Amino acid sequence: MIEIEDFGITEYSFSISGHRKRYNLTTVLHLFGEKFCRGLEAAWRRAATFKAGDTAHGYFKKLRLLLQGLGAAGSLGKDEVATRVFQTLQGGRTPTQKDWQHVTNEFLRVMGDVDDRSLTISTKRKVRDKYVEAARSALNWLVDAGFLPAVQMRQRTASKFSTESGTDSLASLLYKAGRLDLTNKTELEASNEFIATNAKALAELRSCYVAEFLSEYENFQRGQVFLGEQPKMSIDKFEAIILRRPGDRIGNPIFGVEIGLSDGDLFSVIIRYYKDVYHNSRDIVFGLKKFQKLVAWAGGHAHLQSFIEATTKALNAAFHIILIDTGLNAQPTKDLGEDPYVGTSKRGRRQIATIAEKKNRAGGKEVIPTSIDHDLCAQSRRPMDIIFQG
């Protein structure tokens, strides 16, 4: 039985302006003491004041649950690291990164395991996953507020006995392919290795998408140069030459020389003609067969499109970069409108809709947070901006 010290006060709760529910720390007070609660309150105020109240309160409840488990384990003294972290937090100090990672991942594992009822009795994997996600978010808020050290935290965890199917993580795929060896490791060591491998794989995947996006963007920049230069041959003259030329003489290795153009100049005029066909509805007077030979000589439809406008390849790369950078949350990204701008320009600046602006919950009912990102400078010309231009 755990003996509770008399801390002078028996209840502890606080409120944040604009949040309709109070934050109750009474159970945490009885374990960690008033000094810890005062520090946690100050940090949570810094972290949550400008967040949506319902979201902040939901995260806080899962954080409190995790702290109760840590406090109980630390008080019993059966886990040396948990006891050390518990005593450190009781004294109002910050635990070491190594110790904090140990206890964080251990209690997130317990919270996510449907076969462990020590923190919650729910046997539904999706419910447990939500608990883990909310607790992780709360801990990250406290890291941002400077209250806790930053550590790698485990993701959602399905029970090994669960029959529900889910999407494999990159680390899971590597494990199944025999490229992630977790033998002879403790559960915590295996968990940390799994998390680190998944993070590394995501970083590698992101670098591939960035390279793909930049390649498309470089083509787009070159295309703007081609389209802005004075052409060596007008489109009408080029069309007349192709119309008179036999089909078997189009696209051969000396095709450009035969019509008086270098390969670069020929490519430039094909881009112009291609744009005129698809953007200005120009008729292909010399026939589709000759047109397809011109397109093939220039590298194909997708290659030509990349010199004129954003391609599906570039959009796919940009979309997945955003997903990776925002925690693989696809729905808010899909919900972004075609026009990112909100309202009118004010003193040369525009407000934009961001991924964090809206959340869809409760059967599609919209929840607007208390703060959104603002201010995209009108002069901004970053590569990612080009993707969303028409």
Side-chain angles (χ1 to χ4, degrees):
M1 181 175 178
I2 303 171
E3 293 187 6
I4 305 299
E5 181 182 347
D6 182 4
F7 293 99
I9 59 174
T10 58
E11 294 183 359
Y12 194 109
S13 66
F14 63 93
S15 61
I16 294 178
S17 178
H19 295 195
R20 61 189 183 88
K21 295 180 180 178
R22 293 182 64 83
Y23 296 89
N24 195 314
L25 280 174
T26 299
T27 53
V28 176
L29 169 72
H30 292 163
L31 289 164
F32 289 87
E34 184 179 352
K35 187 174 184 179
F36 172 79
C37 290
R38 296 290 182 198
L40 178 58
E41 177 189 348
W44 194 255
R45 286 184 183 278
R46 292 196 299 274
T49 295
F50 297 106
K51 300 292 197 305
D54 288 345
T55 298
H57 196 266
Y59 288 176
F60 187 82
K61 288 196 298 183
K62 303 309 178 290
L63 171 68
R64 186 176 60 206
L65 189 64
L66 188 147
L67 289 173
Q68 288 169 191
L70 171 58
S75 299
L76 292 172
K78 292 182 178 180
D79 185 315
E80 180 183 346
V81 180
T83 299
R84 187 163 58 242
V85 169
F86 172 62
Q87 292 172 348
T88 301
L89 292 175
Q90 267 191 325
R93 302 184 305 277
T94 302
T96 66
Q97 188 177 47
K98 182 179 179 180
D99 282 355
W100 184 243
Q101 177 152 331
H102 173 92
V103 298
T104 299
N105 284 323
E106 174 61 20
F107 282 100
L108 288 178
R109 180 196 65 77
V110 171
M111 187 176 281
D113 187 353
V114 296
D115 302 307
D116 191 316
R117 312 295 172 80
S118 58
L119 290 181
T120 178
I121 61 173
S122 175
T123 58
K124 294 183 179 179
R125 182 173 67 84
K126 289 184 179 179
V127 172
R128 293 297 192 108
D129 283 347
K130 289 180 180 179
Y131 273 44
V132 172
E133 187 175 350
R136 289 178 67 251
S137 296
L139 291 170
N140 281 327
W141 283 14
L142 292 177
V143 169
D144 292 340
F147 186 70
L148 293 172
V151 295
Q152 287 185 324
M153 288 184 280
R154 66 187 298 122
Q155 305 292 325
R156 296 179 178 186
T157 308
S159 167
K160 59 185 177 182
F161 301 112
S162 174
T163 58
E164 297 181 60
S165 61
T167 303
D168 283 333
S169 66
L170 294 178
S172 294
L173 295 174
L174 290 170
Y175 179 77
K176 290 179 179 180
R179 296 174 61 187
L180 174 59
D181 185 10
L182 300 177
T183 55
N184 299 322
K185 294 182 183 293
T186 66
E187 186 168 4
L188 180 60
E189 289 171 343
S191 173
N192 289 337
E193 179 74 14
F194 189 91
I195 293 168
T197 300
N198 201 60
K200 184 178 179 181
L202 278 174
E204 181 62 28
L205 179 62
R206 187 185 188 281
S207 69
C208 292
Y209 278 126
V210 168
E212 193 172 86
F213 174 80
L214 288 177
S215 175
E216 295 291 294
Y217 179 59
E218 287 167 4
N219 283 350
F220 175 79
Q221 288 182 307
R222 288 171 58 199
Q224 303 318 293
V225 173
F226 285 144
L227 294 171
E229 291 176 340
Q230 185 68 29
K232 293 294 193 319
M233 180 183 289
S234 70
I235 291 178
D236 291 338
K237 183 178 179 180
F238 175 74
E239 187 176 61
I241 291 173
I242 301 302
L243 185 61
R244 296 193 303 268
R245 195 170 188 80
D248 59 358
R249 303 295 298 278
I250 295 175
N252 63 44
I254 58 172
F255 171 52
V257 175
E258 289 179 345
I259 65 175
L261 293 173
S262 67
D263 284 351
D265 292 334
L266 175 58
F267 185 73
S268 177
V269 74
I270 290 176
I271 288 177
R272 293 173 183 279
Y273 189 80
Y274 188 89
K275 182 179 180 182
D276 235 23
V277 168
Y278 283 100
H279 283 241
N280 301 323
S281 301
R282 186 186 187 100
D283 291 332
I284 306 173
V285 297
F286 47 72
L288 187 60
K289 189 173 181 180
K290 287 184 177 181
F291 178 72
Q292 295 292 14
K293 284 191 172 186
L294 287 173
V295 170
W297 182 91
H301 288 279
H303 186 61
L304 280 171
Q305 184 192 4
S306 70
F307 286 82
I308 299 169
E309 60 190 355
T311 63
T312 54
K313 185 177 180 180
L315 179 60
N316 178 70
F319 182 80
H320 284 88
I321 290 168
I322 291 171
L323 290 190
I324 292 171
D325 288 350
T326 56
L328 302 178
N329 196 353
Q331 194 56 51
T333 310
K334 292 178 180 178
D335 289 343
L336 282 172
E338 184 176 342
D339 183 0
Y341 298 105
V342 176
T344 58
S345 177
K346 294 181 180 179
R347 297 185 296 279
R349 301 176 75 84
R350 294 288 297 274
Q351 179 181 326
I352 62 170
T354 71
I355 292 175
E357 183 189 5
K358 298 177 182 178
K359 293 184 179 180
N360 293 326
R361 301 196 194 102
K365 185 172 66 175
E366 189 175 82
V367 179
I368 306 295
T370 55
S371 67
I372 59 174
D373 295 335
H374 296 276
D375 298 338
L376 174 67
C377 185
Q379 289 79 22
S380 174
R381 299 292 293 176
R382 297 170 298 169
M384 193 64 79
D385 297 334
I386 302 297
I387 277 293
F388 302 106
Q389 291 185 350

